[in-house]
Amino acid sequence: MERFPNHQAPNHQTFKNLFQRLCDTGSLMKTPGGGKPITRRTPEVEEEILKRIEENPGTSTRKIAAVLNISHKVVWTVLKEQQLYPYHIQRVQALLPQDFPPRIQFSQLTLQKVALDPQFLSRVLFTDEATFSRSAIINFHNNHIWADENSHSIVDERFQHQFSLNVWAGIVGDYLIGPYFLPHHLNGETYLNFLQNTLSVLLEEVPIAQRLQMWFMHDGARAHFPLRVREHLNATFPTKWIGRGIPEPNQSWPARSPDCNPLDFYFWGDLKRLVYAVPINTLDQLQECIITRCETIRNKPGVFERVRQSLTRRMEACIMSNGGHFQQFL
């Protein structure tokens, strides 16, 4: 108003109309046909809505409403009556054609072991590493602050000062092992040092009878593959470890299969959800938060039994999908 004193300010009704147009069409622009969106349903309108969904299942319902100059509510009603619902697209590990047979074989042999010994999965120490950084991915769609007025809360991102932690963890039976903070750049030497000097200390809380029957599992990461690492595992867990380059082919971990590792398909996601529920400002705060949130997960009743049940279903689903992505069968 100071820069343009002679310019007439929009009245309250103008903003109300713009807001209603945004709600109805998803856009501030006027609909192609002009005027108020049509709310009356006709067979032709319903057919056109379904045609557009069939041609592009990822299209926006608001975009359909805007193009057809109809109410957004009409689009939703038609789709709901046809039992069509929106589903989130899931991110999965890309697979290569040569990955399918090893995934089928691994699933089949794992289920065979479970059939012979129902407690087999509880004897396996599943392990993995993950990076936690200051710049976490935050899902703002589910973040709200309830108040009697808008506090205009914000979350800083693109920090000038960055930091991260490389975290190792394991699950065996009903025990969560770790977390343990590894060097930033993990290689075969530092990983072997961890296996030789640290792992046994972390496992002290596990009863010795369970440790004597324990299997060890890790994926095919480069730091896991050096000859000295495999020689150590052969000596420490003879014929009872799962990984890449193992003497027993039927215990080889299938490449690109995080969907078969409980750390990947459950633990890291749950832990990061808890850790990043609050802003992280320092490296010490991040480390302390990881430790305390691990305690939260550790104390969830029956959580690791449910994870093992989920793993069994995943093995069955992997076979059903011929070694491909199997989320649709879960």
Side-chain angles (χ1 to χ4, degrees), residues 176-284:
L176 173 61
I177 312 301
Y180 182 79
F181 300 98
L182 291 166
H184 283 289
H185 301 291
L186 186 65
N187 56 35
E189 182 179 352
T190 54
Y191 185 63
L192 177 61
N193 180 67
F194 164 76
L195 293 177
Q196 291 175 330
N197 302 309
T198 306
L199 181 59
S200 59
V201 178
L202 295 175
L203 290 170
E204 287 181 351
E205 63 179 302
V206 181
I208 188 169
Q210 186 169 351
R211 276 182 276 162
L212 291 174
Q213 300 179 9
M214 190 175 69
W215 287 59
F216 179 87
M217 169 270 155
H218 64 190
D219 61 22
R222 181 177 298 179
H224 302 170
F225 188 63
L227 179 60
R228 291 185 62 197
V229 170
R230 287 177 279 150
E231 289 176 342
H232 171 76
L233 292 175
N234 287 332
T236 309
F237 303 96
T239 70
K240 289 169 53 176
W241 67 276
I242 301 168
R244 181 162 65 106
I246 190 168
E248 292 76 12
N250 60 354
Q251 293 169 204
S252 180
W253 180 257
R256 289 169 286 277
S257 298
D259 47 0
C260 298
N261 186 349
L263 277 298
D264 275 305
F265 70 72
Y266 161 67
F267 178 72
W268 294 129
D270 198 15
L271 180 58
K272 289 188 176 184
R273 176 184 62 83
L274 294 171
V275 167
Y276 295 122
V278 297
I280 302 296
N281 298 312
T282 67
L283 183 63
D284 289 341

Side-chain angles (χ1 to χ4, degrees), residues 41 45-47 49-50 73-84:
R41 292 174 53 181
V45 167
E46 294 181 14
E47 184 177 346
I49 293 172
L50 297 175
K73 184 178 180 180
V74 170
V75 179
W76 265 102
T77 302
V78 171
L79 296 179
K80 186 176 180 180
E81 288 179 354
Q82 295 297 317
Q83 298 185 347
L84 297 174

